[in-house]
Amino acid sequence: MENSYFTTSVNRMGSIVGNFAGRMENVYSNAYVNGTAANRFGGLVGTIDGNATISNCWYNGILTAKDYIGGITGCVEGAGAEVVIEHCLFDSEISILQNSANAGGICGVVSSAKSVKIDDTLGNGTINKGSYTATYGSIVGKASVSTVITNSYGSKGGNNYKCYGVATNVDVSTNVGEITSENYLGKNGFNLKFLDFENCWVAKLDSAPKLKCMVDSFTKDVTINSAGKKVYTLDTAEDLYEFAMYSQKETFEGEIVQLGANIVANDGTATEDGWTGNDNPTNWLPIGSESTKFAGTFDGKGKTISGIYLLEANKTNYVGMFAKTTPSAIIQNLRLENSYFESNGQGVGSIAGYGEAHFYNIYSNAIVKSSFQWVGGLIGHSGYTEMERCWFDGVVISTANNNQYMGKGGLIGIQNGGTATIVNCLNTGKVDVSAYNAVTEKDGTTTVSPRAGGLVGYVTNSATVTIDSSLNVG
């Protein structure tokens, strides 16, 4: 329900229903609900007065009332009722209009019931009490009977209120957290680890997490190809960023992600000293993670991604356009231009921090910079890798001065165990290890041993690398 207005002087009003018992699911409303002279007002439901389940519901409107006010429901008051509120979101505004009022982001008051359980919810809206005295919480205002909250988060808000207004009868002992605006926006939404991102929630680029069933997504236009595989098409920078966030919980094994257009991730220009022409570029979240490796096919379709900017100062290992890939993954037909990757963790590459996959027809002129080990123009740390018709034309810079930090290469930083096959590949880029200190050997000679190479920086004793019809002129 959108662009709607409800007002009355009679108690028990919601934008969807006044009194409710039953099941409600997949409901969204941004309606204005105005109860300037009444109580028991909810964004969706005025009062729950019997057995009820409310699931996958979101209130995003403006709610004003005198008392018993809640973003999802104003009140639960069904004697003997069993009530479940799960996978619900309140992220808008409630205004209290009288003294001694009670309000909650999800439920205002639990007055009577046999049991009430609130699970996997996010209450990160605003509750304005103005000059009035009130009892209010970002999930529940107060409860007269036992109310169990699990796997949920409530915002502390501007007035530093808690998940509940009064602790009596409210059980928050299992996975309940209080959040601030700094720790849940964009990729930081994954900090809210109690939420069910696998099934119900998705992190969004510039906001708190949202319910998957309610938001437009790059997944909305999934097609099935002739082989029966799901195909996701990315047409915009928003699609690309959302895919990266989605990949933190999904491997895409057996599925295809493809570009439908050239994509510019950030305005500005990558230089060896950082990013210019844009003082606030969006920092990239690598596709996949240490625990969730990308296992699908990424097909650039000959199109270009440009403007990726990644600056990682927390010693995070394995960063690039992809964090980690599996041996079954395929990355192909892609141009990566005008992009910048810098980290002080191990394993940095413009295409993959840790790559063991099939890499075909890839070009990159990115700047790749590291103060640690295992940095490559395309792949930082290679496992079981097949690379064919790939070209690096950018700059690899090692700012480390410790000779133990090894492995800097135009294509691959280190082949540490496993096997790699490199066929018809080219490096015309620069590998800069000038920061390394000279070492004095026993015979008095000095050497610099950064273990760097034009194609591969370092191959360990347990590894095998086969190079055929390839060239370094960098």
Side-chain angles (χ1 to χ4, degrees), residues 299-349:
D299 191 346
K301 293 290 184 178
K303 295 178 172 58
T304 299
I305 294 175
S306 62
I308 288 183
Y309 172 80
L310 185 150
L311 178 60
E312 180 55 72
N314 296 321
K315 213 172 181 63
T316 299
N317 294 331
Y318 304 118
V319 299
M321 180 176 166
F322 291 81
K324 281 189 170 184
T325 58
T326 68
S328 63
I330 299 172
I331 316 297
Q332 64 185 7
N333 307 323
L334 174 66
R335 293 181 67 89
L336 178 63
E337 298 184 358
N338 185 36
S339 294
Y340 183 91
F341 301 85
E342 181 177 357
S343 174
N344 60 7
Q346 66 183 17
V348 187

mmCIF file of all heavy atoms in Angstrom, residues 299-349:
data_model
loop_
_atom_site.group_PDB
_atom_site.id
_atom_site.type_symbol
_atom_site.label_atom_id
_atom_site.label_comp_id
_atom_site.label_asym_id
_atom_site.label_seq_id
_atom_site.Cartn_x
_atom_site.Cartn_y
_atom_site.Cartn_z
ATOM 1 N N ASP A 299 30.274 -13.647 -16.630
ATOM 2 C CA ASP A 299 30.541 -13.404 -18.050
ATOM 3 C C ASP A 299 30.369 -11.923 -18.342
ATOM 4 O O ASP A 299 29.261 -11.391 -18.299
ATOM 5 C CB ASP A 299 29.580 -14.231 -18.898
ATOM 6 C CG ASP A 299 29.961 -14.242 -20.378
ATOM 7 O OD1 ASP A 299 30.795 -13.404 -20.787
ATOM 8 O OD2 ASP A 299 29.439 -15.097 -21.104
ATOM 9 N N GLY A 300 31.483 -11.249 -18.628
ATOM 10 C CA GLY A 300 31.420 -9.825 -18.936
ATOM 11 C C GLY A 300 30.817 -9.509 -20.285
ATOM 12 O O GLY A 300 30.510 -8.341 -20.561
ATOM 13 N N LYS A 301 30.666 -10.526 -21.127
ATOM 14 C CA LYS A 301 30.074 -10.336 -22.454
ATOM 15 C C LYS A 301 30.830 -9.275 -23.271
ATOM 16 O O LYS A 301 30.244 -8.592 -24.114
ATOM 17 C CB LYS A 301 28.594 -9.934 -22.340
ATOM 18 C CG LYS A 301 27.687 -11.014 -21.793
ATOM 19 C CD LYS A 301 27.514 -12.149 -22.793
ATOM 20 C CE LYS A 301 26.547 -13.190 -22.314
ATOM 21 N NZ LYS A 301 26.353 -14.271 -23.315
ATOM 22 N N GLY A 302 32.142 -9.142 -23.017
ATOM 23 C CA GLY A 302 32.957 -8.181 -23.740
ATOM 24 C C GLY A 302 32.787 -6.745 -23.286
ATOM 25 O O GLY A 302 33.365 -5.828 -23.872
ATOM 26 N N LYS A 303 32.020 -6.539 -22.235
ATOM 27 C CA LYS A 303 31.754 -5.185 -21.753
ATOM 28 C C LYS A 303 32.762 -4.785 -20.667
ATOM 29 O O LYS A 303 33.567 -5.592 -20.211
ATOM 30 C CB LYS A 303 30.321 -5.077 -21.246
ATOM 31 C CG LYS A 303 29.299 -5.260 -22.369
ATOM 32 C CD LYS A 303 27.892 -5.206 -21.882
ATOM 33 C CE LYS A 303 26.903 -5.196 -23.043
ATOM 34 N NZ LYS A 303 27.068 -6.395 -23.915
ATOM 35 N N THR A 304 32.704 -3.525 -20.256
ATOM 36 C CA THR A 304 33.715 -2.941 -19.377
ATOM 37 C C THR A 304 33.122 -2.540 -18.043
ATOM 38 O O THR A 304 32.068 -1.897 -17.988
ATOM 39 C CB THR A 304 34.351 -1.706 -20.035
ATOM 40 O OG1 THR A 304 34.983 -2.098 -21.262
ATOM 41 C CG2 THR A 304 35.383 -1.064 -19.116
ATOM 42 N N ILE A 305 33.810 -2.898 -16.981
ATOM 43 C CA ILE A 305 33.558 -2.331 -15.653
ATOM 44 C C ILE A 305 34.704 -1.371 -15.366
ATOM 45 O O ILE A 305 35.877 -1.732 -15.490
ATOM 46 C CB ILE A 305 33.502 -3.415 -14.569
ATOM 47 C CG1 ILE A 305 32.288 -4.321 -14.778
ATOM 48 C CG2 ILE A 305 33.440 -2.791 -13.171
ATOM 49 C CD1 ILE A 305 32.230 -5.497 -13.826
ATOM 50 N N SER A 306 34.383 -0.157 -14.986
ATOM 51 C CA SER A 306 35.410 0.819 -14.649
ATOM 52 C C SER A 306 35.041 1.524 -13.346
ATOM 53 O O SER A 306 33.898 1.505 -12.919
ATOM 54 C CB SER A 306 35.575 1.846 -15.768
ATOM 55 O OG SER A 306 34.380 2.579 -15.968
ATOM 56 N N GLY A 307 36.045 2.117 -12.729
ATOM 57 C CA GLY A 307 35.794 2.924 -11.539
ATOM 58 C C GLY A 307 35.663 2.170 -10.244
ATOM 59 O O GLY A 307 35.182 2.718 -9.247
ATOM 60 N N ILE A 308 36.088 0.899 -10.187
ATOM 61 C CA ILE A 308 36.073 0.196 -8.900
ATOM 62 C C ILE A 308 37.189 0.764 -8.027
ATOM 63 O O ILE A 308 38.332 0.906 -8.454
ATOM 64 C CB ILE A 308 36.241 -1.319 -9.081
ATOM 65 C CG1 ILE A 308 34.971 -1.929 -9.677
ATOM 66 C CG2 ILE A 308 36.556 -1.993 -7.751
ATOM 67 C CD1 ILE A 308 35.009 -3.427 -9.833
ATOM 68 N N TYR A 309 36.841 1.077 -6.799
ATOM 69 C CA TYR A 309 37.801 1.629 -5.835
ATOM 70 C C TYR A 309 37.737 0.804 -4.566
ATOM 71 O O TYR A 309 36.661 0.630 -3.976
ATOM 72 C CB TYR A 309 37.469 3.085 -5.521
ATOM 73 C CG TYR A 309 38.280 3.689 -4.391
ATOM 74 C CD1 TYR A 309 39.572 4.139 -4.612
ATOM 75 C CD2 TYR A 309 37.746 3.795 -3.114
ATOM 76 C CE1 TYR A 309 40.323 4.685 -3.566
ATOM 77 C CE2 TYR A 309 38.475 4.340 -2.072
ATOM 78 C CZ TYR A 309 39.766 4.789 -2.301
ATOM 79 O OH TYR A 309 40.498 5.327 -1.278
ATOM 80 N N LEU A 310 38.884 0.253 -4.157
ATOM 81 C CA LEU A 310 38.939 -0.515 -2.926
ATOM 82 C C LEU A 310 40.160 -0.077 -2.130
ATOM 83 O O LEU A 310 41.291 -0.178 -2.600
ATOM 84 C CB LEU A 310 39.012 -2.014 -3.208
ATOM 85 C CG LEU A 310 38.963 -2.935 -1.969
ATOM 86 C CD1 LEU A 310 38.310 -4.263 -2.339
ATOM 87 C CD2 LEU A 310 40.337 -3.196 -1.380
ATOM 88 N N LEU A 311 39.917 0.424 -0.935
ATOM 89 C CA LEU A 311 40.979 0.767 -0.003
ATOM 90 C C LEU A 311 40.682 0.047 1.299
ATOM 91 O O LEU A 311 39.723 0.365 2.002
ATOM 92 C CB LEU A 311 41.047 2.275 0.230
ATOM 93 C CG LEU A 311 42.112 2.750 1.242
ATOM 94 C CD1 LEU A 311 43.505 2.348 0.788
ATOM 95 C CD2 LEU A 311 42.030 4.258 1.439
ATOM 96 N N GLU A 312 41.486 -0.965 1.617
ATOM 97 C CA GLU A 312 41.248 -1.804 2.788
ATOM 98 C C GLU A 312 42.408 -1.631 3.755
ATOM 99 O O GLU A 312 43.536 -2.024 3.468
ATOM 100 C CB GLU A 312 41.124 -3.272 2.363
ATOM 101 C CG GLU A 312 40.886 -4.241 3.495
ATOM 102 C CD GLU A 312 39.683 -3.866 4.325
ATOM 103 O OE1 GLU A 312 38.557 -4.019 3.835
ATOM 104 O OE2 GLU A 312 39.884 -3.401 5.465
ATOM 105 N N ALA A 313 42.128 -1.020 4.913
ATOM 106 C CA ALA A 313 43.183 -0.705 5.880
ATOM 107 C C ALA A 313 43.160 -1.619 7.092
ATOM 108 O O ALA A 313 43.914 -1.401 8.043
ATOM 109 C CB ALA A 313 43.047 0.749 6.322
ATOM 110 N N ASN A 314 42.312 -2.639 7.086
ATOM 111 C CA ASN A 314 42.145 -3.476 8.274
ATOM 112 C C ASN A 314 42.805 -4.841 8.143
ATOM 113 O O ASN A 314 42.383 -5.802 8.766
ATOM 114 C CB ASN A 314 40.658 -3.652 8.571
ATOM 115 C CG ASN A 314 39.996 -2.346 8.924
ATOM 116 O OD1 ASN A 314 40.579 -1.528 9.619
ATOM 117 N ND2 ASN A 314 38.786 -2.133 8.422
ATOM 118 N N LYS A 315 43.827 -4.923 7.309
ATOM 119 C CA LYS A 315 44.572 -6.164 7.105
ATOM 120 C C LYS A 315 43.651 -7.317 6.716
ATOM 121 O O LYS A 315 43.806 -8.459 7.174
ATOM 122 C CB LYS A 315 45.403 -6.525 8.334
ATOM 123 C CG LYS A 315 46.711 -7.243 8.004
ATOM 124 C CD LYS A 315 47.590 -7.417 9.230
ATOM 125 C CE LYS A 315 48.892 -8.121 8.883
ATOM 126 N NZ LYS A 315 49.739 -7.365 7.944
ATOM 127 N N THR A 316 42.678 -7.027 5.895
ATOM 128 C CA THR A 316 41.787 -8.057 5.371
ATOM 129 C C THR A 316 42.495 -8.815 4.264
ATOM 130 O O THR A 316 43.025 -8.214 3.331
ATOM 131 C CB THR A 316 40.492 -7.438 4.843
ATOM 132 O OG1 THR A 316 39.834 -6.774 5.908
ATOM 133 C CG2 THR A 316 39.582 -8.510 4.269
ATOM 134 N N ASN A 317 42.501 -10.136 4.356
ATOM 135 C CA ASN A 317 43.146 -10.947 3.336
ATOM 136 C C ASN A 317 42.230 -11.169 2.138
ATOM 137 O O ASN A 317 41.011 -11.237 2.270
ATOM 138 C CB ASN A 317 43.544 -12.304 3.920
ATOM 139 C CG ASN A 317 44.606 -12.184 4.990
ATOM 140 O OD1 ASN A 317 45.417 -11.260 4.970
ATOM 141 N ND2 ASN A 317 44.598 -13.108 5.931
ATOM 142 N N TYR A 318 42.833 -11.296 0.972
ATOM 143 C CA TYR A 318 42.175 -11.692 -0.263
ATOM 144 C C TYR A 318 41.113 -10.695 -0.714
ATOM 145 O O TYR A 318 39.918 -10.836 -0.424
ATOM 146 C CB TYR A 318 41.581 -13.106 -0.136
ATOM 147 C CG TYR A 318 42.633 -14.114 0.269
ATOM 148 C CD1 TYR A 318 42.537 -14.819 1.463
ATOM 149 C CD2 TYR A 318 43.754 -14.328 -0.536
ATOM 150 C CE1 TYR A 318 43.514 -15.714 1.848
ATOM 151 C CE2 TYR A 318 44.740 -15.222 -0.158
ATOM 152 C CZ TYR A 318 44.623 -15.910 1.033
ATOM 153 O OH TYR A 318 45.594 -16.788 1.413
ATOM 154 N N VAL A 319 41.573 -9.690 -1.404
ATOM 155 C CA VAL A 319 40.669 -8.689 -1.955
ATOM 156 C C VAL A 319 40.986 -8.453 -3.422
ATOM 157 O O VAL A 319 42.113 -8.618 -3.882
ATOM 158 C CB VAL A 319 40.746 -7.353 -1.177
ATOM 159 C CG1 VAL A 319 40.346 -7.534 0.272
ATOM 160 C CG2 VAL A 319 42.134 -6.730 -1.271
ATOM 161 N N GLY A 320 39.981 -8.069 -4.141
ATOM 162 C CA GLY A 320 40.049 -7.764 -5.564
ATOM 163 C C GLY A 320 38.630 -7.534 -6.029
ATOM 164 O O GLY A 320 37.723 -7.359 -5.211
ATOM 165 N N MET A 321 38.393 -7.579 -7.311
ATOM 166 C CA MET A 321 36.999 -7.548 -7.748
ATOM 167 C C MET A 321 36.271 -8.741 -7.132
ATOM 168 O O MET A 321 35.137 -8.636 -6.668
ATOM 169 C CB MET A 321 36.926 -7.595 -9.266
ATOM 170 C CG MET A 321 35.507 -7.568 -9.795
ATOM 171 S SD MET A 321 35.424 -7.508 -11.587
ATOM 172 C CE MET A 321 33.688 -7.920 -11.831
ATOM 173 N N PHE A 322 36.950 -9.895 -7.107
ATOM 174 C CA PHE A 322 36.475 -11.075 -6.384
ATOM 175 C C PHE A 322 37.396 -11.302 -5.192
ATOM 176 O O PHE A 322 38.606 -11.088 -5.286
ATOM 177 C CB PHE A 322 36.513 -12.316 -7.274
ATOM 178 C CG PHE A 322 35.510 -12.310 -8.390
ATOM 179 C CD1 PHE A 322 35.768 -11.601 -9.557
ATOM 180 C CD2 PHE A 322 34.319 -13.001 -8.292
ATOM 181 C CE1 PHE A 322 34.855 -11.580 -10.599
ATOM 182 C CE2 PHE A 322 33.392 -12.989 -9.333
ATOM 183 C CZ PHE A 322 33.662 -12.271 -10.483
ATOM 184 N N ALA A 323 36.833 -11.737 -4.074
ATOM 185 C CA ALA A 323 37.654 -12.102 -2.920
ATOM 186 C C ALA A 323 38.281 -13.465 -3.152
ATOM 187 O O ALA A 323 39.500 -13.603 -3.250
ATOM 188 C CB ALA A 323 36.819 -12.095 -1.651
ATOM 189 N N LYS A 324 37.429 -14.489 -3.239
ATOM 190 C CA LYS A 324 37.879 -15.847 -3.490
ATOM 191 C C LYS A 324 36.956 -16.530 -4.494
ATOM 192 O O LYS A 324 35.743 -16.290 -4.498
ATOM 193 C CB LYS A 324 37.898 -16.667 -2.191
ATOM 194 C CG LYS A 324 39.093 -16.418 -1.294
ATOM 195 C CD LYS A 324 39.130 -17.437 -0.160
ATOM 196 C CE LYS A 324 40.432 -17.385 0.617
ATOM 197 N NZ LYS A 324 40.501 -18.453 1.655
ATOM 198 N N THR A 325 37.534 -17.377 -5.318
ATOM 199 C CA THR A 325 36.755 -18.177 -6.256
ATOM 200 C C THR A 325 37.080 -19.652 -6.039
ATOM 201 O O THR A 325 38.108 -20.000 -5.460
ATOM 202 C CB THR A 325 37.075 -17.796 -7.713
ATOM 203 O OG1 THR A 325 38.481 -17.989 -7.942
ATOM 204 C CG2 THR A 325 36.719 -16.343 -7.985
ATOM 205 N N THR A 326 36.204 -20.511 -6.529
ATOM 206 C CA THR A 326 36.430 -21.955 -6.421
ATOM 207 C C THR A 326 36.990 -22.486 -7.741
ATOM 208 O O THR A 326 36.908 -21.820 -8.783
ATOM 209 C CB THR A 326 35.118 -22.685 -6.117
ATOM 210 O OG1 THR A 326 34.253 -22.593 -7.269
ATOM 211 C CG2 THR A 326 34.414 -22.095 -4.903
ATOM 212 N N PRO A 327 37.549 -23.707 -7.741
ATOM 213 C CA PRO A 327 38.073 -24.263 -8.997
ATOM 214 C C PRO A 327 37.041 -24.395 -10.099
ATOM 215 O O PRO A 327 37.393 -24.410 -11.290
ATOM 216 C CB PRO A 327 38.603 -25.639 -8.558
ATOM 217 C CG PRO A 327 38.929 -25.478 -7.114
ATOM 218 C CD PRO A 327 37.874 -24.556 -6.572
ATOM 219 N N SER A 328 35.783 -24.492 -9.750
ATOM 220 C CA SER A 328 34.739 -24.646 -10.771
ATOM 221 C C SER A 328 34.257 -23.313 -11.338
ATOM 222 O O SER A 328 33.503 -23.288 -12.319
ATOM 223 C CB SER A 328 33.545 -25.404 -10.185
ATOM 224 O OG SER A 328 32.949 -24.659 -9.127
ATOM 225 N N ALA A 329 34.666 -22.212 -10.749
ATOM 226 C CA ALA A 329 34.196 -20.899 -11.204
ATOM 227 C C ALA A 329 34.796 -20.551 -12.569
ATOM 228 O O ALA A 329 35.892 -21.002 -12.933
ATOM 229 C CB ALA A 329 34.564 -19.829 -10.185
ATOM 230 N N ILE A 330 34.074 -19.708 -13.309
ATOM 231 C CA ILE A 330 34.543 -19.210 -14.606
ATOM 232 C C ILE A 330 34.383 -17.692 -14.608
ATOM 233 O O ILE A 330 33.288 -17.183 -14.359
ATOM 234 C CB ILE A 330 33.750 -19.816 -15.772
ATOM 235 C CG1 ILE A 330 33.903 -21.345 -15.799
ATOM 236 C CG2 ILE A 330 34.196 -19.209 -17.099
ATOM 237 C CD1 ILE A 330 32.999 -22.037 -16.813
ATOM 238 N N ILE A 331 35.479 -16.983 -14.888
ATOM 239 C CA ILE A 331 35.448 -15.533 -15.048
ATOM 240 C C ILE A 331 35.921 -15.261 -16.463
ATOM 241 O O ILE A 331 37.053 -15.630 -16.830
ATOM 242 C CB ILE A 331 36.374 -14.814 -14.038
ATOM 243 C CG1 ILE A 331 36.240 -15.418 -12.627
ATOM 244 C CG2 ILE A 331 36.098 -13.322 -14.043
ATOM 245 C CD1 ILE A 331 34.899 -15.287 -12.005
ATOM 246 N N GLN A 332 35.102 -14.599 -17.289
ATOM 247 C CA GLN A 332 35.464 -14.500 -18.703
ATOM 248 C C GLN A 332 34.886 -13.251 -19.361
ATOM 249 O O GLN A 332 33.947 -12.637 -18.882
ATOM 250 C CB GLN A 332 34.972 -15.744 -19.444
ATOM 251 C CG GLN A 332 33.455 -15.911 -19.476
ATOM 252 C CD GLN A 332 33.018 -17.210 -20.123
ATOM 253 O OE1 GLN A 332 33.832 -18.073 -20.443
ATOM 254 N NE2 GLN A 332 31.722 -17.368 -20.329
ATOM 255 N N ASN A 333 35.544 -12.908 -20.500
ATOM 256 C CA ASN A 333 35.042 -11.860 -21.412
ATOM 257 C C ASN A 333 34.810 -10.526 -20.707
ATOM 258 O O ASN A 333 33.758 -9.905 -20.836
ATOM 259 C CB ASN A 333 33.740 -12.323 -22.073
ATOM 260 C CG ASN A 333 33.875 -13.675 -22.754
ATOM 261 O OD1 ASN A 333 34.912 -13.974 -23.335
ATOM 262 N ND2 ASN A 333 32.853 -14.493 -22.679
ATOM 263 N N LEU A 334 35.815 -10.080 -19.968
ATOM 264 C CA LEU A 334 35.664 -8.904 -19.113
ATOM 265 C C LEU A 334 36.813 -7.931 -19.316
ATOM 266 O O LEU A 334 37.978 -8.333 -19.393
ATOM 267 C CB LEU A 334 35.620 -9.340 -17.645
ATOM 268 C CG LEU A 334 35.610 -8.228 -16.592
ATOM 269 C CD1 LEU A 334 34.316 -7.430 -16.673
ATOM 270 C CD2 LEU A 334 35.812 -8.808 -15.197
ATOM 271 N N ARG A 335 36.478 -6.646 -19.364
ATOM 272 C CA ARG A 335 37.462 -5.571 -19.313
ATOM 273 C C ARG A 335 37.271 -4.817 -17.994
ATOM 274 O O ARG A 335 36.164 -4.384 -17.688
ATOM 275 C CB ARG A 335 37.315 -4.608 -20.483
ATOM 276 C CG ARG A 335 37.660 -5.211 -21.834
ATOM 277 C CD ARG A 335 37.526 -4.183 -22.951
ATOM 278 N NE ARG A 335 38.525 -3.122 -22.824
ATOM 279 C CZ ARG A 335 39.742 -3.169 -23.363
ATOM 280 N NH1 ARG A 335 40.139 -4.240 -24.035
ATOM 281 N NH2 ARG A 335 40.580 -2.150 -23.224
ATOM 282 N N LEU A 336 38.364 -4.667 -17.240
ATOM 283 C CA LEU A 336 38.351 -3.925 -15.985
ATOM 284 C C LEU A 336 39.297 -2.744 -16.150
ATOM 285 O O LEU A 336 40.513 -2.935 -16.294
ATOM 286 C CB LEU A 336 38.790 -4.818 -14.826
ATOM 287 C CG LEU A 336 38.875 -4.154 -13.448
ATOM 288 C CD1 LEU A 336 37.503 -3.668 -12.996
ATOM 289 C CD2 LEU A 336 39.461 -5.114 -12.423
ATOM 290 N N GLU A 337 38.750 -1.549 -16.144
ATOM 291 C CA GLU A 337 39.553 -0.365 -16.443
ATOM 292 C C GLU A 337 39.421 0.674 -15.334
ATOM 293 O O GLU A 337 38.444 0.694 -14.580
ATOM 294 C CB GLU A 337 39.127 0.242 -17.786
ATOM 295 C CG GLU A 337 39.321 -0.695 -18.963
ATOM 296 C CD GLU A 337 38.980 -0.048 -20.302
ATOM 297 O OE1 GLU A 337 38.554 1.129 -20.319
ATOM 298 O OE2 GLU A 337 39.134 -0.730 -21.333
ATOM 299 N N ASN A 338 40.432 1.548 -15.264
ATOM 300 C CA ASN A 338 40.408 2.705 -14.376
ATOM 301 C C ASN A 338 39.926 2.322 -12.976
ATOM 302 O O ASN A 338 38.985 2.894 -12.428
ATOM 303 C CB ASN A 338 39.505 3.799 -14.957
ATOM 304 C CG ASN A 338 39.535 5.078 -14.137
ATOM 305 O OD1 ASN A 338 40.576 5.450 -13.599
ATOM 306 N ND2 ASN A 338 38.401 5.738 -14.023
ATOM 307 N N SER A 339 40.600 1.342 -12.374
ATOM 308 C CA SER A 339 40.196 0.845 -11.054
ATOM 309 C C SER A 339 41.412 0.774 -10.140
ATOM 310 O O SER A 339 42.556 0.706 -10.599
ATOM 311 C CB SER A 339 39.541 -0.531 -11.176
ATOM 312 O OG SER A 339 38.313 -0.432 -11.889
ATOM 313 N N TYR A 340 41.140 0.783 -8.831
ATOM 314 C CA TYR A 340 42.209 0.899 -7.831
ATOM 315 C C TYR A 340 41.940 -0.063 -6.691
ATOM 316 O O TYR A 340 40.837 -0.090 -6.124
ATOM 317 C CB TYR A 340 42.251 2.330 -7.301
ATOM 318 C CG TYR A 340 43.342 2.623 -6.304
ATOM 319 C CD1 TYR A 340 44.591 3.083 -6.722
ATOM 320 C CD2 TYR A 340 43.127 2.461 -4.940
ATOM 321 C CE1 TYR A 340 45.597 3.360 -5.805
ATOM 322 C CE2 TYR A 340 44.126 2.737 -4.017
ATOM 323 C CZ TYR A 340 45.357 3.189 -4.454
ATOM 324 O OH TYR A 340 46.350 3.467 -3.552
ATOM 325 N N PHE A 341 42.962 -0.875 -6.341
ATOM 326 C CA PHE A 341 42.847 -1.840 -5.256
ATOM 327 C C PHE A 341 44.069 -1.698 -4.346
ATOM 328 O O PHE A 341 45.196 -1.866 -4.797
ATOM 329 C CB PHE A 341 42.797 -3.270 -5.794
ATOM 330 C CG PHE A 341 41.651 -3.522 -6.734
ATOM 331 C CD1 PHE A 341 41.762 -3.225 -8.093
ATOM 332 C CD2 PHE A 341 40.463 -4.058 -6.279
ATOM 333 C CE1 PHE A 341 40.714 -3.449 -8.959
ATOM 334 C CE2 PHE A 341 39.404 -4.291 -7.135
ATOM 335 C CZ PHE A 341 39.526 -3.978 -8.482
ATOM 336 N N GLU A 342 43.830 -1.415 -3.067
ATOM 337 C CA GLU A 342 44.931 -1.294 -2.117
ATOM 338 C C GLU A 342 44.549 -1.965 -0.814
ATOM 339 O O GLU A 342 43.466 -1.739 -0.274
ATOM 340 C CB GLU A 342 45.295 0.162 -1.862
ATOM 341 C CG GLU A 342 46.457 0.323 -0.881
ATOM 342 C CD GLU A 342 46.888 1.755 -0.654
ATOM 343 O OE1 GLU A 342 46.327 2.664 -1.310
ATOM 344 O OE2 GLU A 342 47.783 1.974 0.186
ATOM 345 N N SER A 343 45.480 -2.783 -0.283
ATOM 346 C CA SER A 343 45.226 -3.472 0.975
ATOM 347 C C SER A 343 46.543 -3.761 1.675
ATOM 348 O O SER A 343 47.584 -3.912 1.025
ATOM 349 C CB SER A 343 44.486 -4.789 0.731
ATOM 350 O OG SER A 343 44.348 -5.529 1.922
ATOM 351 N N ASN A 344 46.486 -3.859 3.004
ATOM 352 C CA ASN A 344 47.658 -4.298 3.754
ATOM 353 C C ASN A 344 47.517 -5.742 4.217
ATOM 354 O O ASN A 344 48.250 -6.213 5.079
ATOM 355 C CB ASN A 344 47.932 -3.370 4.948
ATOM 356 C CG ASN A 344 46.772 -3.312 5.931
ATOM 357 O OD1 ASN A 344 45.807 -4.060 5.807
ATOM 358 N ND2 ASN A 344 46.850 -2.414 6.897
ATOM 359 N N GLY A 345 46.538 -6.454 3.628
ATOM 360 C CA GLY A 345 46.400 -7.885 3.875
ATOM 361 C C GLY A 345 47.070 -8.669 2.766
ATOM 362 O O GLY A 345 47.499 -8.121 1.744
ATOM 363 N N GLN A 346 47.162 -9.977 2.921
ATOM 364 C CA GLN A 346 47.800 -10.795 1.890
ATOM 365 C C GLN A 346 46.783 -11.212 0.834
ATOM 366 O O GLN A 346 45.622 -11.422 1.109
ATOM 367 C CB GLN A 346 48.445 -12.030 2.509
ATOM 368 C CG GLN A 346 47.486 -13.027 3.107
ATOM 369 C CD GLN A 346 48.203 -14.189 3.761
ATOM 370 O OE1 GLN A 346 49.392 -14.135 4.048
ATOM 371 N NE2 GLN A 346 47.483 -15.266 4.017
ATOM 372 N N GLY A 347 47.286 -11.314 -0.410
ATOM 373 C CA GLY A 347 46.421 -11.738 -1.491
ATOM 374 C C GLY A 347 45.613 -10.602 -2.077
ATOM 375 O O GLY A 347 44.452 -10.415 -1.730
ATOM 376 N N VAL A 348 46.238 -9.834 -2.980
ATOM 377 C CA VAL A 348 45.552 -8.717 -3.624
ATOM 378 C C VAL A 348 45.726 -8.842 -5.132
ATOM 379 O O VAL A 348 46.853 -9.007 -5.625
ATOM 380 C CB VAL A 348 46.113 -7.350 -3.169
ATOM 381 C CG1 VAL A 348 45.264 -6.212 -3.728
ATOM 382 C CG2 VAL A 348 46.188 -7.272 -1.652
ATOM 383 N N GLY A 349 44.634 -8.792 -5.872
ATOM 384 C CA GLY A 349 44.679 -8.812 -7.327
ATOM 385 C C GLY A 349 43.500 -8.047 -7.871
ATOM 386 O O GLY A 349 42.452 -7.968 -7.224
#
